[in-house]
Amino acid sequence: MSNIYENIKPFIELVEKSNNIVLAGHISPDGDAISSCFAFCSALRKMNKNPIVLLEDYGNSYEYIKNDNMIYREDYNNIKDVDLFISLDCGDIKRLGFAKEIFEKAKYTVNIDHHISNDNFGKLNIVNPKASSTSEIMFEIINHMGKLDLNIATYIYTGIVFDTGGFKHNCTTNRTHQIAGELISLGVDSVKIHSNVLTLHSLESSKLLARSIQNIYIENDIIVSTLSNDEIVSLGCSHKNTGNIIQYLLDTKGINVSVFIYEKEDGSIKVSFRSKTIDVNKIASYFGGGGHILAAGATLKDMTIQQAKEVVLQKIRSV
Ligand code: AMP
Ligand code: MN
Ligand code: MN
């Protein structure tokens, strides 16, 4: 492949001839998944297409870009005759959750993503692990289509700020900054977006951060913390309030790997990994998950939090 983006042209041709288009991001949607969906949905509406967005409920940090009239909240069984399904920010088909059924019924499928673990599950794949975010890839596509505007730019900037941690993570490149500059030229309110995405937080997330700090376990340069579903519920919180914990753990002096483990309502165990040097995508992939080299995740089933902590620690010790 001469150019990572050589599939953009065939993709745009595909979009032009499709009408019923479904967009979906990954389960427990984050700033990048949400923003990529909204950005492309807006571009499609400008083309008089008929797009719908499938996204699970997400936390209220994204109120300022919330767009209820894009999200489909009815029975997924009613979605029929999908010409084109576009998966955004999903490393593999399982990450689509319920939307996977619609993906499998669609006439044509496209997978747009930046995870190194991506297994090219679409009929057409635009996957660039060097892109900071799926939102950055959306910029390249929507810019090529000539459909950028302030609204779309606000979504894209939000996704980039989220996935780069405010241009701090090592996925941030020269191109990421160029794009950010172009988005600001379009009038994006970067101060408001940084605040909403990165610093503004609810009292609930502070309570969970405090509890997770009480639960810290350190072994050499590895830090682990856990939250059981009972702890989350008894503090009047939800697992959606845990997003800021994993980076806080990694920022501890002397730490190289952080692991945050929490129990979901259904008893499954969600594990997040962050690292300064070691490949945590490999570790997450070992547990059936994936992600990026320095940021990855997995969901474990049929074990307690304590067991999950033990197996994860064993795996990290062995690398
Ligand atoms: P998280 O710790 O869940 O925020 O995830 C860190 C990164 O890994 C994000 O880019 C996620 O999209 C990705 N990721 C998390 N869980 C999985 C999984 N089960 N499979 C593939 N990628 C994942
Ligand atoms: Mn994501
Ligand atoms: Mn992403």
Side-chain angles (χ1 to χ4, degrees):
M1 192 186 273
S2 54
N3 177 347
I4 192 81
Y5 290 128
E6 71 183 358
N7 279 343
I8 288 186
K9 229 174 134 222
F11 172 61
I12 294 172
E13 284 163 14
L14 196 59
V15 165
E16 275 163 356
K17 63 180 192 208
S18 306
N19 193 38
N20 289 334
I21 303 177
V22 172
L23 307 169
H26 55 76
I27 47 176
S28 301
D30 60 16
D32 190 28
I34 298 164
S35 300
S36 306
C37 286
F38 286 173
F40 205 59
C41 187
S42 304
L44 290 172
R45 285 186 171 176
K46 287 173 89 170
M47 296 169 76
N48 297 317
K49 299 292 174 188
N50 182 22
I52 57 171
V53 171
L54 308 182
L55 276 176
E56 283 181 357
D57 269 338
Y58 51 85
N60 50 13
S61 345
Y62 299 100
E63 282 298 322
Y64 72 104
I65 56 162
K66 208 172 174 75
N67 207 324
D68 283 333
N69 77 352
M70 289 186 187
I71 300 187
Y72 183 87
R73 290 282 180 229
E74 293 159 51
D75 185 348
Y76 281 14
N77 288 321
N78 296 335
I79 304 176
K80 298 209 168 74
D81 303 321
V82 177
D83 300 323
L84 179 60
F85 187 110
I86 305 170
S87 165
L88 296 168
D89 204 37
C90 296
D92 61 67
I93 194 169
K94 286 190 312 232
R95 297 276 290 156
L96 283 169
F98 285 119
K100 176 171 170 277
E101 270 177 47
I102 320 292
F103 178 97
E104 282 163 349
K105 285 193 287 196
K107 291 197 195 102
Y108 205 99
T109 59
V110 180
N111 157 32
I112 303 179
D113 185 40
H114 69 125
H115 291 95
I116 193 159
S117 54
N118 194 292
D119 58 8
N120 291 314
F121 60 91
K123 228 181 233 175
L124 185 77
N125 300 283
I126 302 178
V127 176
N128 180 9
K130 293 204 172 112
S132 67
S133 50
T134 301
S135 297
E136 183 172 319
I137 305 175
M138 293 326 289
F139 174 89
E140 306 291 5
I141 295 171
I142 299 171
N143 191 29
H144 205 90
M145 292 162 69
K147 299 284 177 208
L148 280 176
D149 58 27
L150 175 57
N151 184 35
I152 293 175
T154 299
Y155 295 138
I156 293 175
Y157 196 89
T158 296
I160 292 176
V161 166
F162 177 83
D163 263 19
T164 60
F167 307 97
K168 276 197 297 138
H169 301 332
N170 80 331
C171 58
T172 311
T173 64
N174 174 9
R175 182 70 187 139
T176 316
H177 283 288
Q178 276 174 351
I179 292 172
E182 292 195 34
L183 298 173
I184 289 170
S185 302
L186 283 166
V188 157
D189 186 344
S190 64
V191 173
K192 179 175 139 196
I193 296 175
H194 277 265
S195 163
N196 275 294
V197 176
L198 299 174
T199 45
L200 195 70
H201 54 267
S202 60
L203 185 60
E204 285 77 15
S205 58
S206 296
K207 285 183 187 169
L208 291 185
L209 178 61
R211 177 57 65 91
S212 71
I213 290 170
Q214 290 175 354
N215 293 349
I216 281 174
Y217 167 82
I218 293 188
E219 187 176 300
N220 302 317
D221 58 359
I222 309 167
I223 188 166
V224 185
S225 185
T226 57
L227 285 177
S228 67
N229 189 47
D230 278 352
E231 285 174 298
I232 296 172
V233 173
S234 66
L235 288 165
C237 303
S238 129
H239 66 88
K240 290 183 193 123
N241 306 125
T242 59
N244 56 344
I245 297 173
I246 185 71
Q247 185 63 39
Y248 189 87
L249 297 174
L250 185 69
D251 288 338
T252 310
K253 254 189 194 164
I255 290 302
N256 188 30
V257 184
S258 66
V259 183
F260 173 59
I261 306 174
Y262 72 81
E263 186 186 14
K264 292 189 176 176
E265 292 97 332
D266 64 1
S268 63
I269 309 288
K270 164 74 196 173
V271 188
S272 287
F273 301 90
R274 298 291 183 274
S275 156
K276 291 179 185 149
T277 55
I278 73 159
D279 183 349
V280 287
N281 169 55
K282 255 195 204 148
I283 296 169
S285 300
Y286 174 82
F287 293 107
H292 312 282
I293 290 175
L294 302 182
T299 299
L300 308 188
K301 295 219 161 88
D302 304 321
M303 61 174 87
T304 63
I305 283 211
Q306 279 313 312
Q307 287 166 333
K309 181 172 159 184
E310 218 19 73
V311 290
V312 164
L313 269 169
Q314 257 171 31
K315 186 67 194 164
I316 300 175
R317 286 181 198 121
S318 74
V319 296

